[in-house]
Amino acid sequence: MTDSEILNSDTIKTLDTRISEVTVYTDRALVTRRGTVALTGNETELTIASLPATLETDSVRATGSGTIAVRLLGVRTETVYSSEPVGDRTAELTQQIQELQTQRRAIEDKLAARKIQLKFVEGLSEKSVGSFSSSIAKQQIGLNETGELLNFLGTNYLKYVSAIAQHERQQQELDNQIQALQQQLRQVQTPNCQQTFNIIVAIEPSGSGNFELEVSYVVTQAYWTPLYDFRVNTTTNQINLNYLAEVNQNTGEDWTGIALTLSTAKPGLGTLPPKLEPWYIDIVRPKSTQNIEFAMMAMPIERSSAPASAPAPDPARARIAAQTATAEVSREGSTVSFQVGGNTNIPSDGTPHKVTVFSENYPFKPEYIAVPRLVSFAYLQAVVVNPLTGATLLPGKANIFRDNTFVGTVELDNISPGAEFKLNLGIDEGLKIDRELVERQVDKKLIGNQRRTSYAYRLNVTNLQQVQVHLTLREQLPVSRNEQIKVRSTLTNPKIVPGEMGLLEWIIALPPQAKQELYYQFVVEHSPDLTVIGLDI
């Protein structure tokens, strides 16, 4: 070892560090590493080596504490380019390929032997047909000998055909394995230059002692998206909200046993407000003219084995239900953070990993929507209020379960604490709705040279449940698109005023087992010379 190398080993030390904390944002992550080193007092630099290429160099920060006073003089990064060692991996792959090729040759020899045996049986069968037929006709051999020969030929034929098919499958499997290993070998033998970063912290220790260095840096290719499970209990009118997070990272380093925090902050958007660019409009140009399209980028919101038999329960011991680890929620202004816990594992594999943020039960108010003209069923909606003490529900996909039955998915908008939102729970057969056309009458006399046709509908709604329900029932009148056709509402019971586009809407409360009748009537007037379309109802 030269004098300069001895000097460097005394003044420059490389730390072994581990990731202790990670804060994941919607488009990146803040990583914290810690490591402890024994200082002699001569050190000038501490190095953390082989950090991933996704590291943003401007984001690196350093701090620390120890049994001695240490001044941190500065922190910088250096880029390191290296090639993967290929010798050992090449030898390993080559040996595996050779072993598989040896197995393939053995299978090939067995396959050739079975084909010779099969050919012999086939030849024996062809030669025996004529000879045995002649011998049977001359009564030189009996049927017993013939049956024994046929059994011999059939049994051996099936045995050899089956063995040949099995050897060919084995041969194909070996070919696939050999091909995959050869592809890996080609990749390994191709030079692959890797980029990593080293973090170098300049220090000035006051003496000898232990010092724990902490560095933090931002990495890209990491993000989290919210995911919700709503489990609706229509018996108790309770909704269990399971707030999940899908964490996805391909940063180049695994997060093992870390304290994970999920943040709604958006550091990637910067600190300055966006600048408006000119908003251009133009005339329609011929198709030959090249069009320029402006696209607005939107964040995407968008992944069995047989169950093992459970051991028999022990009646002497009470069963304790498993509890799901949840996050601690904290707020700083409009930013919300979820501290998930201190033992989270998220590998750098680019696939989503689910963690639970929290699970809460909320009461809901059931409401029913019915459109009898289109569907003769009522649809159940759950009206939920996000508590004032609750967390903001970020936009994301929600899976809805009704009484343990999967109903479907919905995309949630941003729901602030105290805000109300509705979940559609599908058809509910607890309400029966009958719709009947009770009148379609054309006046025999023209009134003001106008032909008048009357229509009337009756709707019967029955509550089959043991509780009172609130129902919004919607019907509609036809809407004229020609000034020569007039549509007028003449009667509604219960009385309501038609809304825009002929909408009729009743809001009713039905006691248990109650029945209510609704009725409406309208007339259509037009010149007898006109043929009206769209009234086939």
Side-chain angles (χ1 to χ4, degrees), residues 301-503:
I301 304 176
E302 322 195 302
R303 309 1 238 198
S304 84
S305 58
S309 58
D314 184 358
R317 300 182 61 183
R319 297 185 64 83
I320 302 175
Q323 296 182 350
T324 302
T326 58
E328 180 181 344
V329 183
S330 61
R331 294 179 177 83
E332 294 183 9
S334 60
T335 299
V336 181
S337 297
F338 306 104
Q339 286 82 32
V340 175
N343 193 26
T344 304
N345 299 322
I346 301 178
S348 176
D349 56 7
T351 60
H353 300 269
K354 291 184 177 66
V355 295
T356 301
V357 177
F358 66 80
S359 180
E360 295 288 347
N361 289 322
Y362 301 144
F364 73 89
K365 182 176 68 174
E367 291 186 354
Y368 292 85
I369 306 290
V371 187
R373 183 173 181 269
L374 301 179
V375 182
S376 59
F377 299 100
Y379 287 80
L380 176 61
Q381 285 186 330
V383 182
V384 193
V385 176
N386 189 14
L388 290 172
T389 57
T392 299
L393 305 183
L394 301 175
K397 185 175 72 172
N399 299 316
I400 301 176
F401 300 83
R402 175 180 170 184
D403 298 326
N404 295 323
T405 300
F406 178 69
V407 175
T409 61
V410 67
E411 295 294 335
L412 282 191
D413 295 326
N414 192 86
I415 302 173
S416 302
E420 179 182 281
F421 62 99
K422 295 182 179 181
L423 297 176
N424 295 308
L425 304 179
I427 291 174
D428 193 304
E429 297 181 354
L431 290 178
K432 180 182 179 183
I433 304 174
D434 296 318
R435 180 176 186 265
E436 179 184 7
L437 176 65
V438 295
E439 180 183 335
R440 184 174 185 176
Q441 181 177 345
V442 180
D443 288 355
K444 296 180 180 179
K445 295 182 180 181
L446 299 180
I447 301 176
N449 199 30
Q450 294 287 301
R451 173 165 291 159
R452 175 174 172 170
T453 307
S454 300
Y455 298 85
Y457 283 89
R458 180 187 296 118
L459 299 100
N460 289 307
V461 183
T462 305
N463 180 14
L464 304 176
Q465 304 183 64
Q466 301 300 323
V467 295
Q468 178 174 286
V469 300
H470 296 272
L471 171 67
T472 299
L473 190 146
R474 294 173 181 149
E475 282 283 288
Q476 64 181 156
L477 305 178
V479 178
S480 173
R481 304 181 69 177
N482 190 299
E483 61 181 9
Q484 299 182 65
I485 304 173
K486 307 296 182 183
V487 179
R488 291 187 296 108
S489 173
T490 55
L491 178 64
T492 58
N493 184 29
K495 187 175 181 179
I496 57 172
V497 177
E500 295 183 1
M501 304 304 291
L503 178 65

Side-chain angles (χ1 to χ4, degrees), residues 93-132:
L93 290 173
T94 302
Q95 181 179 356
Q96 292 178 6
I97 292 172
Q98 291 174 349
E99 291 175 354
L100 292 177
Q101 288 175 338
T102 300
Q103 296 178 28
R104 190 187 187 284
R105 285 192 293 269
I107 295 295
E108 192 172 357
D109 293 340
K110 293 179 181 179
L111 184 61
R114 293 300 188 185
K115 287 182 177 180
I116 292 173
Q117 292 170 322
L118 178 63
K119 187 176 181 181
F120 172 79
V121 171
E122 289 175 341
L124 180 61
S125 175
E126 292 175 359
K127 295 177 179 179
S128 301
V129 171
S131 174
F132 265 72

Side-chain angles (χ1 to χ4, degrees), residues 13 23 56 72 165 170 176 178 206 258 342 413 424 448 473 478 503:
K13 286 192 174 181
T23 299
E56 294 186 350
L72 302 182
Q170 293 172 344
N176 293 338
I178 292 171
S206 60
I258 61 165
D413 295 326
N424 295 308
L473 190 146
L503 178 65

Side-chain angles (χ1 to χ4, degrees), residues 50 80-91 93 183-196 252:
S50 302
V80 179
Y81 296 97
S82 61
S83 298
E84 292 182 345
V86 298
D88 294 343
R89 182 58 176 161
T90 299
L93 290 173
Q183 176 66 22
Q184 293 181 35
L185 181 60
R186 286 192 292 270
Q187 292 176 352
V188 168
Q189 291 174 337
T190 301
N192 183 19
C193 186
Q194 289 189 329
Q195 175 185 335
T196 58

Side-chain angles (χ1 to χ4, degrees), residues 17-33:
T17 61
R18 64 175 297 272
I19 299 176
S20 57
E21 301 171 11
V22 176
T23 299
V24 184
Y25 304 101
T26 55
D27 63 346
R28 63 198 62 207
L30 176 66
V31 177
T32 301
R33 279 183 172 270

